[in-house]
Amino acid sequence: MIPKLGDAKVDKLLSQFSQFYTNKSYIAEAILPVLKVKEKTGKYAKYGKENLRTYLDQAYRAPGTRANSVNYSVSQGSYACREHSLEKGVPDEFVLNSDDPYDPKRDATAVLMDNIWLNQEAALQTAMTATATMTRNTTLTSTDQWSDYNNSDPFDDISTAIESVRGATGQRPNLLVLCHDVWMKLKYHPDVREQLKYTNGGQVSEGSLGTFLKDFFNFEEVLVGSAVKNTADEGQAESISDVWTKDAWVIYKTPRPTLMQATFGLTLADTPRQVDTYREEEKVQDVVRIRYSYDQNLFDVNLAYLIKNAIA
């Protein structure tokens, strides 16, 4: 809804506070770290797995003979950065007639930036929950789901996922990603509480659960997707729901993107997040615009395992 001219006039007693809903934690770029690229489109090098082949006696070289010759395969992957941009007009009248704590240009920037972050988060969630994309996966049903405290075995499911990735790639997953609702179910799962009583006196806190999962499975990170979204059309009643729901992933990501390293994926960005303004004189207003050009590129989905519908 477009604010009216008088809406920005407030009681001076309230100038120290304003209410603004925003997600405090986005995890998209923690899952796919940002790598700056120069070109909007391009290719990256991919190597085969010939270096994992064993040669045994074939690697033996007798005196005076040549070493056995081996080969390896190379190919290329591609990327394409697309700009994501949103803007908001800020009429001069709003700027001139606003009292603290309102600041129309600042406020427009904050809202638009949050919109860009949220859409980036939602796009990655969509990609990572598609079984056609995430080919290494399982879908839990009925008593296997972790919300069934009497029959499910989350430790076995996570261990199976880890071994699936390690067995296919040689890389042991170092990242566990959980939806907020899955996190909450795990927090009170009797199997988890049974294990925790040996490490934390049976007390389950947000911090102790994350530390326990990292230590127990040898993960370097545990990320919880807790962002929410409003799926209602503009002007309609709000419909707030979680971005990440019911699923869990184990992932291998390289700590630092570099040459000849395997990783699940990266956010390739040719233009960083930037804020600019331009003038619309015919409307007597400045337009605040947010721009971010990137590609959420999943380099190798074999380096991740999706546990779909981990809870009911």
Side-chain angles (χ1 to χ4, degrees), residues 136 158-169 172-173 250 305:
R136 199 166 295 281
I158 294 173
S159 295
T160 297
I162 291 171
E163 286 307 304
S164 177
V165 173
R166 188 200 62 80
T169 66
R172 194 183 190 286
V250 301
Y305 190 102

Side-chain angles (χ1 to χ4, degrees), residues 34-42 79 81 266-272 293-295:
V34 176
L35 178 65
K36 182 73 172 67
V37 295
K38 294 181 179 179
E39 306 292 338
K40 187 166 290 291
T41 62
Y79 71 89
C81 298
L266 294 171
T267 302
L268 303 174
D270 67 303
T271 303
S293 179
Y294 63 90
D295 176 21

Side-chain angles (χ1 to χ4, degrees), residues 173-294:
N174 55 7
L175 169 63
L176 174 66
V177 179
L178 301 171
C179 299
H180 175 76
D181 48 4
V182 174
W183 169 268
M184 293 304 294
K185 287 295 183 183
L186 270 184
K187 184 176 179 179
Y188 297 103
H189 197 287
D191 289 0
V192 173
R193 298 183 75 86
E194 175 67 17
Q195 291 294 330
L196 269 174
K197 75 180 183 181
Y198 300 109
T199 60
N200 197 43
Q203 299 301 312
V204 182
S205 66
E206 299 285 316
S208 64
L209 178 57
T211 299
F212 164 72
L213 291 171
K214 286 193 289 185
D215 291 344
F216 190 87
F217 291 106
N218 197 28
F219 290 124
E220 294 177 9
E221 288 183 274
V222 175
L223 297 176
V224 179
S226 58
V228 298
K229 60 184 177 181
N230 180 9
T231 57
D233 292 334
E234 188 169 351
Q236 300 300 309
E238 294 174 348
S239 179
I240 306 296
S241 60
D242 284 313
V243 174
W244 305 87
T245 60
K246 297 188 177 182
D247 305 315
W249 297 260
V250 301
I251 294 170
Y252 176 78
K253 71 170 188 178
T254 185
R256 187 180 300 106
T258 186
L259 294 175
M260 301 188 77
Q261 291 287 333
T263 197
F264 169 57
L266 294 171
T267 302
L268 303 174
D270 67 303
T271 303
R273 285 182 184 82
Q274 57 184 254
V275 182
D276 58 25
T277 62
Y278 64 90
R279 184 69 179 169
E280 285 187 333
E281 198 58 56
E282 65 277 14
K283 293 186 177 180
V284 196
Q285 68 176 7
D286 291 328
V287 178
V288 177
R289 178 173 57 192
I290 304 290
R291 304 172 60 201
Y292 186 30
S293 179
Y294 63 90

Side-chain angles (χ1 to χ4, degrees), residues 53 71 92 100-101 122 125 177 235 280:
R53 181 175 292 128
N71 208 344
D92 289 0
D100 288 340
Q125 184 272 342
V177 179
E280 285 187 333

